[in-house]
Structure formats: structure tokens, C-alpha cells
Amino acid sequence: DYELCEEWGHLYPVPREDLINLHREHLLHLLEMGDMEKALQLLERIEDPGICLAISEQSLDQHPNLAASHFLADYLTAHFYMNLTTARRNEIQALYMGSKVLLTLPELSRVKYFHLSSRPLLMLEQLLMNMKVDWVAVAVQTLHQLLAGQEIGFTVEDIDNLLSKYAEKALNFPFALKEKRS
């Protein structure tokens, strides 16, 4: 049905907003089905870059599943980096990094942390508080790789400070040890 509507859009004048809505729904459907290749082909078929940007941003704002969010954040960063405001760019890059970290977690646990996908530092802190040390190690390694040369609102130093804070708390004993005398 989407493809038929797209053909009609080539034959008859369709208002810009309706065209954006059609392509957005088609894109979200393809991403929901896990067909990233067809989703990419759909975006490449759209000749007007303004419409393509609107479709991609609106789709991302609908908070699709993890793989779709990762795909859209990657696409927007790769194709429309200069068209985005600094705040929006940082938001999309944080979502990209957060989704990348989520993909390193065990599949059944991803749902618990999905709501933090746009806040990677907070996700890292949540993992630390939940004592998921092995997961934290992989997440930190992933973030270090992704942050190389990037500016997204937080730095490697912020990650290190967070880790130091929790390491200090882990060594903090709430009681005094008493000496035994023989």
C-alpha cells in the first residue's frame, strides 16, 4: 500500500505534509519489520533533502525500537550533520551512543535500560548502581571508542569521574572496625 501511494505521489501533486506523513509511516513500518536495507533505499529515493530530513527526524522523535533508533540516529548524523542545530546534533549523537551501548548488553536486559538510550551517562550510572560491573566494562569501552574526537555534551573525563565516584562509594565503610585485644 505504501508503494502504491508513493507511485500516486509521482503522478499527482500531493501536499508536502501528506508526502512527509506517508514516507514517515512507510519508513517506520520498514524499520519495525527490521528491513534496514529497504528503509535506506526509501530514504535514498526521496529527492528533496528537506523532506528527507523531516521524515528522518519525525521518525526518530516517535521513539521507535532500539534498532530503528540506532539506524535513524546514524543516518541523520551521516547525512544531515550540518543541517542540525548543535543541541539537536548532541541529542542525536547521544541517542546513537546510548543505543550502541544498549546493543552491547544482553538482549533480555535491554528493555530495562531502553528509556535511558538518549542519556548514556545516566545509563552507565544505572548499570553501576545495579552492580552490573561486567556490563559497565563493555559500556565504558564502547563509549571511549565512540567519544574519540566527538563533542556531544559529555566527555571521557565525565565517564572517568562517574567511575571514580562510584569506586569511592564502594570503598566507603559505614561503620568503624573495632580492634580485638588478646
Side-chain angles (χ1 to χ4, degrees), residues 77 81 93 96-97 145-155:
T77 303
Y81 188 80
Q93 285 182 314
Y96 175 78
M97 290 184 185
Q145 290 170 354
L146 292 172
L147 279 171
Q150 300 266 346
E151 289 182 29
I152 66 158
F154 68 93
T155 63

Side-chain angles (χ1 to χ4, degrees), residues 16 20 23-24 27-28 31 43 46 49-64 68-69 71-77 79-93 95:
R16 178 182 164 92
I20 290 172
H23 287 307
R24 183 190 67 236
L27 178 63
L28 287 170
L31 292 173
L43 289 170
I46 300 168
I51 290 177
C52 191
L53 174 61
I55 292 164
S56 303
E57 277 197 289
Q58 287 178 19
S59 297
L60 185 63
D61 290 340
Q62 297 225 339
H63 306 292
S69 294
F71 171 86
L72 289 166
D74 187 34
Y75 184 82
L76 282 164
T77 303
H79 293 85
F80 296 106
Y81 188 80
M82 299 312 291
N83 301 59
L84 302 168
T85 64
T86 304
R88 183 68 170 158
R89 198 179 306 150
N90 288 347
E91 177 186 326
I92 290 171
Q93 285 182 314
L95 179 64

